[in-house]
Amino acid sequence: NRASLNAALFYMKRSDEIVQYNQVVSEPPGSIPAQRVVTFNTNGAKTDIYGIELEGVWQATPYLQLNGSFSYVDSTIAAFPPDASKGDFSDIFGRQANIVGQEAPRFPPILASLGARYERPVVLASFDNWYVQGDVFYNDNYWTNNANVVAAPEALDSNLRMGLQGERFGVE
């Protein structure tokens, strides 16, 4: 029981999704500003999402545990109501452009993490163990809208913590 590996393949077919889009609206003549951007929501989009997830844990020594995870996601807009406004997508690519086939927004294609935890026994008040833990998380860039022209940047975050752990509570 020193190591474990979990894997999952998945497929989701989402339907009747609420899709948010922006539309430029002209104000009456003489208004300041003459135009404004309004956010609308529409129902009915369908998205196909599939991918793979892997996660592993290895107890390298009695005191050191290593872990990691990886996921890949492919998300494609499979259908869009023909009578629904496409908002910013139409503004950029024209009214006849088809939103079907675009990558669905807010699904990073790749997520990954690595972590390590070093833990030792301690006799201190109500605490049984002390530990140091570090994690690194990667988030791939992803589209923020259906038009696939604005992307959230990739991110690499880290977390380092230490603490005391007891049977009933802990302190970090």
Side-chain angles (χ1 to χ4, degrees):
N1 291 343
R2 290 184 55 135
S4 69
L5 178 65
N6 296 310
L9 295 173
F10 62 89
Y11 172 73
M12 293 186 290
K13 188 174 189 92
R14 299 176 83 181
S15 61
D16 202 23
E17 289 183 278
I18 296 174
V19 176
Q20 187 178 74
Y21 62 93
N22 298 319
Q23 186 76 40
V24 176
V25 176
S26 295
E27 296 294 338
S31 297
I32 299 176
Q35 294 182 327
R36 63 187 167 113
V37 177
V38 179
T39 301
F40 293 96
N41 294 313
T42 188
N43 281 65
K46 293 180 182 175
T47 304
D48 291 334
I49 305 163
Y50 60 89
I52 184 170
E53 295 176 342
L54 302 170
E55 68 174 6
V57 177
W58 177 41
Q59 191 70 43
T61 73
Y63 305 114
L64 178 63
Q65 184 180 76
L66 304 173
N67 64 72
S69 67
F70 172 84
S71 70
Y72 170 77
V73 176
D74 185 301
S75 59
T76 305
I77 297 173
F80 199 83
D83 57 341
S85 173
K86 297 174 192 143
D88 50 357
F89 188 84
S90 296
D91 292 342
I92 296 167
F93 300 109
R95 299 243 178 251
Q96 300 306 313
N98 192 350
I99 200 168
V100 174
Q102 292 294 108
E103 191 174 320
R106 297 176 296 281
F107 287 99
I110 295 178
L111 296 169
S113 70
L114 292 172
R117 180 179 177 110
Y118 186 79
E119 187 171 348
R120 295 294 300 243
V122 67
V123 178
L124 179 64
S126 296
F127 301 108
D128 304 321
N129 298 305
W130 67 269
Y131 64 89
V132 175
Q133 182 170 335
D135 301 291
V136 177
F137 306 96
Y138 173 76
N139 190 83
D140 201 2
N141 61 352
Y142 59 92
W143 299 114
T144 62
N145 62 13
N146 291 327
N148 291 177
V149 294
V150 178
E154 67 181 4
L156 186 64
D157 296 313
S158 60
N159 181 29
L160 182 61
R161 60 185 178 221
M162 59 188 293
L164 297 165
Q165 187 69 44
E167 187 175 314
R168 297 181 188 260
F169 63 92
V171 175
E172 280 193 9

